[in-house]
Amino acid sequence: MRDVPEIFGSLVFNDDVMSARLPREIYESLHRTIEEGKSLDITVANAVAAAMKDWAIEKGATHYTHWFQPLTGITAEKHDSFLSPQSDGRVIMEFSGKELIKGEPDASSFPSGGLRETFEARGYTAWDPTSYAFIKDDSLCIPTIFCSFGGEVLDKKTPLLRSMEAVNAKAVRLLKLMGDEQVTRVNTTVGPEQEYFLVDKETYKKRRDLVVTGRSLFGAKPPKGQELDDHYFGVIKPRVMAFMQELNVELWKLGVYAKTEHNEAAPAQHELAPVFATANIAADHNQLTMEIMKKVADKHGLTCLLHEKPFAGVNGSGKHNNWSLSTNYGKNLFKPGKKPQDNKTFLVCLCAVIEAVDRSQDLLRIASASAGNDHRLGAAEAPPAIISMFLGDELTEILDAIERGEHGENKKAETVVTGVEVLPDFKKDTTDRNRTSPLAFTGNKFEFRMLGSSFSIADVNTVLNTAVADSFDRLADRLEACGDVEKELDKWMSETITAHKRIIYNGNNYTQEWVKEAHRRGLYELKTTADAVPLFVNEKNVELFTKHKIFTKSEITSRCEIMLENYCKVLHIEALTMLEMARKEILPAVISYTNDVAKNVKLRKEIGVCSENDAALSLCRKLTVLTDTLYAKTAELDSTVNGMDRTADSLEASAYCRDRLVPAMNALRSVADELETLVSDKHWPYPTYSELLFNV
Ligand code: ADP
Ligand code: MG
């Protein structure tokens, strides 16, 4: 293993590099921009650009690109070379402050949800100096935000940055009112855990569905899935280990703190968790992580699947978003400490989150909504499509006491007695783990577990930050108007707990009892993307986002539009791929196998050994009946696809996809999967689940 500290961040134009390469006053001025949001002077930009270029060229870069996160959910880049032709025919390497600060990619090819007509193609990217530039594929990548000519936001990063500012401002305001004299800034910290599948590349290539849609649209359950629980935390196979090692090195070079790695529950499934960072850096790093995972896998003859549900019948992949807030002097606002009862900051912040989550249930669900993730939520492998919070018994007891206006007892930390002489006993955490909750308090942070593996983490953190900023803000209003801050805080906490405790649930979220209980409590259950996304434009949500200047109303409408459009497009592509596979691969294979069997029936008849319960004859009959059904279901799916009204608005179109298209796809799949169990391997046109899941 090479020297980790030496390679760590070696491809990043980070603070060390800047401090070493920028003139003092430039460096300091840039810092003021980064830390205090002061606008950037062009002379500073010129100096930074020149230093960046020299550094990048030394590292072998020839090009630069603005790197941004449009609403496709993945990153976009447009490369320009540093080359600048001179009048005497020579070239020099150039990069100006203007080129660093602003880019003008053609915006018409990115989704805008009707915000921008195609004739207004102009879009702008603008440098985000809070995220370091880095080198990837011999290009200097400059993290930027992306907006239209009219200033409408067209990316995922801008709202995230705005929400970080909102929660910072409101948290500082509240903490000051509560007597904190040290606080000047509150940062959002995020650590996203990333799940993924690794399959053999050659096997993968033989499946049209995986190649085109990222998930298997057909596939019978293998005899062995994950029921033996022998993969989770199991020994990592050498080929996977080699992949993980190279992945770590590549990520370290980019300054991503990749830390833990282990096998996940399903066969061929793995997880990577970084050390947490500020939310916008975490969002950038997570995008890079997903990209590098795919590239490194490819080098190892593997394919990395980031789809939420590549295989039916085994767990899909999610992303766990660990979220917290911490002050400029390093205090985590959600750290309960030894005596949570006496920790007013913690209790107040906790209540603010409870209120925020209850009020913004729908928004958190929307931030986790996509056609791919619909397969996971509520399928007893991921939280249900109902938002709730897990706090654990101890904290719940404390909140009960506060609600009653009492001051509960501080419990002594319990000890786990190992019962083995040589092993030390150890202190129990205040909260046990609950892996079924959508949003679990895990000791000093909240773990949001509903995101799909391919998601950008920007959306959910935008929602969390904004909703919590709003709670802080309204509480601060009350404190400013009251006579006695301490009394008002107690009153507010008690009221808040009464009003919003319905969102707390410490039991098993995978059970039917919880679904019933949640309905009784009046919580939202939004089963599909088509059910969830339309709520985005509700008055309550528009008010929240416009009040804190995160989105304008038309930006919200456009995002809603894009999400629904994407849902329909994904399902449409999947349906077409299924039709193609059914007609060109499955049907011919089944017919060819049936012919072989029929030949055998004929032979048996000729030699007079064919009875009424003859095996070949029974099989032939069964295959024939199923083939007819397959044919009929293919025709039904075909007419359902053709029945999609091209003029329908996104609301109608998404409802059609949910109510008609998805059931027609499921019906076709179920008969094809049954045929797969009957047809010989020699005839079956593509690799089975067993081959895909146990081949690496
Ligand atoms: P588990 O798998 O039990 O959920 P991990 O250790 O795999 O736990 O992941 C925990 C994640 O939470 C890591 O990415 C870690 O960096 C992150 N994390 C820890 N503390 C904080 C914090 N204060 N703010 C945000 N994220 C945090
Ligand atoms: Mg986790």
Side-chain angles (χ1 to χ4, degrees), residues 30 63 144 260 414 515 584 613:
L30 183 62
H63 289 65
T144 58
T260 57
E414 285 176 46
V515 176
K584 299 197 169 170
N613 44 23

Side-chain angles (χ1 to χ4, degrees), residues 630-646:
L630 181 78
Y631 190 78
K633 296 295 171 198
T634 308
E636 272 173 42
L637 179 58
D638 188 44
S639 73
T640 313
V641 171
N642 290 325
M644 279 172 95
D645 178 0
R646 305 240 157 242

Side-chain angles (χ1 to χ4, degrees), residues 189-191 193 273-276 322 324 332 433 435 445 447:
T189 53
V190 173
E193 300 162 56
V275 176
F276 66 93
N322 295 276
S324 189
N332 181 337
R433 295 185 163 250
R435 297 208 169 264
K445 60 188 187 293
E447 180 172 3

Side-chain angles (χ1 to χ4, degrees), residues 233-465:
F233 279 30
V235 177
I236 299 173
K237 292 188 183 149
R239 206 168 153 199
V240 174
M241 201 63 214
F243 157 85
M244 285 178 172
Q245 273 160 0
E246 185 173 343
L247 175 64
N248 279 342
V249 171
E250 290 310 310
L251 290 174
W252 290 336
K253 284 187 202 162
L254 289 166
V256 179
Y257 305 93
K259 199 168 165 234
T260 57
E261 51 196 23
H262 59 77
N263 286 351
E264 261 299 327
Q269 193 184 32
H270 311 279
E271 181 189 286
L272 180 140
V275 176
F276 66 93
T278 325
N280 65 322
I281 310 268
D284 283 2
H285 281 180
N286 183 249
Q287 292 290 345
L288 276 175
T289 301
M290 291 193 283
E291 187 183 329
I292 307 290
M293 273 178 171
K294 292 195 160 191
K295 275 192 194 149
V296 174
D298 197 63
K299 278 170 71 182
H300 289 254
L302 298 165
T303 297
C304 171
L305 301 175
L306 288 170
H307 193 284
E308 283 67 39
K309 193 71 181 176
F311 308 104
V314 295
N315 277 7
S317 299
K319 176 139 48 194
H320 294 173
N321 187 84
N322 295 276
W323 175 93
S324 189
L325 295 173
S326 73
T327 67
N328 50 302
Y329 56 93
K331 172 172 164 165
N332 181 337
L333 297 183
F334 297 111
K335 194 169 172 182
K338 288 216 176 68
K339 297 178 177 172
Q341 275 87 342
D342 303 332
N343 187 345
K344 203 61 159 273
T345 310
F346 166 70
L347 292 172
V348 166
C349 291
L350 179 64
C351 288
V353 174
I354 292 169
E355 184 194 53
V357 172
D358 189 27
R359 288 169 75 117
S360 296
Q361 290 167 50
D362 48 349
L363 289 173
L364 288 168
R365 172 65 183 92
I366 293 165
S368 332
S370 78
N373 213 23
D374 280 357
H375 297 289
R376 292 176 63 241
L377 303 181
E381 60 170 86
I386 303 168
I387 301 284
S388 68
M389 285 171 81
F390 168 85
L391 295 182
D393 293 336
E394 191 182 336
L395 285 182
T396 307
E397 271 173 40
I398 295 174
L399 294 183
D400 286 344
I402 294 174
E403 189 187 4
R404 292 190 304 266
E406 296 164 12
H407 186 92
E409 287 289 303
N410 279 313
K411 270 209 194 121
K412 266 233 185 91
E414 285 176 46
T415 305
V416 178
V417 182
T418 58
V420 179
E421 199 78 46
V422 293
L423 296 181
D425 295 339
F426 51 88
K427 290 256 161 52
K428 262 190 189 168
D429 291 327
T430 37
T431 56
D432 190 11
R433 295 185 163 250
N434 176 328
R435 297 208 169 264
T436 67
S437 179
L439 188 65
F441 179 71
T442 51
N444 62 357
K445 60 188 187 293
F446 292 89
E447 180 172 3
F448 185 69
R449 296 211 182 89
M450 265 166 82
L451 288 187
S453 46
S454 67
F455 278 54
S456 156
I457 60 168
D459 293 343
V460 74
N461 290 301
T462 302
V463 172
L464 283 170
N465 290 344

Side-chain angles (χ1 to χ4, degrees), residues 601-621:
V601 174
K602 200 167 159 231
L603 189 74
R604 286 175 180 226
K605 282 198 171 144
E606 274 167 18
I607 58 172
V609 296
C610 190
S611 68
E612 224 350 81
N613 44 23
D614 179 88
L617 186 62
S618 307
L619 180 58
C620 197
R621 281 196 180 121

Side-chain angles (χ1 to χ4, degrees), residues 465-588:
N465 290 344
T466 311
V468 171
D470 191 58
S471 293
F472 285 166
D473 200 34
R474 279 178 295 100
L475 171 57
D477 287 345
R478 271 179 67 162
L479 295 185
E480 251 169 23
C482 79
D484 181 336
V485 167
E486 288 306 311
K487 255 202 196 136
E488 189 67 13
L489 284 172
D490 289 338
K491 191 156 158 263
W492 175 82
M493 282 200 285
S494 170
E495 284 169 19
T496 303
I497 296 164
T498 309
H500 299 289
K501 67 180 175 191
R502 63 171 187 167
I503 201 74
I504 300 167
Y505 182 67
N506 293 328
N508 182 351
N509 293 68
Y510 291 177
T511 60
Q512 270 314 303
E513 288 83 79
W514 166 234
V515 176
K516 273 195 221 128
E517 169 66 14
H519 288 172
R520 202 188 54 72
R521 294 187 188 183
L523 300 177
Y524 274 121
E525 183 182 26
L526 301 165
K527 285 197 169 132
T528 71
T529 302
D531 298 302
V533 173
L535 305 187
F536 202 173
V537 294
N538 280 359
E539 209 176 298
K540 160 185 82 87
N541 297 331
V542 173
E543 225 172 81
L544 174 73
F545 285 124
T546 50
K547 177 181 167 196
H548 297 285
K549 304 203 165 44
I550 310 297
F551 295 123
T552 62
K553 181 158 186 207
S554 58
E555 284 167 355
I556 294 174
T557 317
S558 79
R559 265 154 219 258
C560 181
E561 193 71 17
I562 290 169
M563 289 184 83
L564 291 176
E565 238 175 52
N566 181 267
Y567 173 76
C568 296
K569 279 185 193 160
V570 166
L571 289 171
H572 189 228
I573 293 169
E574 288 183 352
L576 292 180
T577 310
M578 283 186 93
L579 287 173
E580 210 173 76
M581 288 171 79
R583 286 179 179 142
K584 299 197 169 170
E585 294 175 334
I586 303 176
L587 208 54

Side-chain angles (χ1 to χ4, degrees), residues 589-590 593 623 674-681 683-684:
V590 173
Y593 179 58
L623 285 167
E674 193 177 343
L675 276 163
E676 185 185 325
T677 64
L678 296 174
V679 173
S680 85
D681 275 351
H683 288 80
W684 199 249

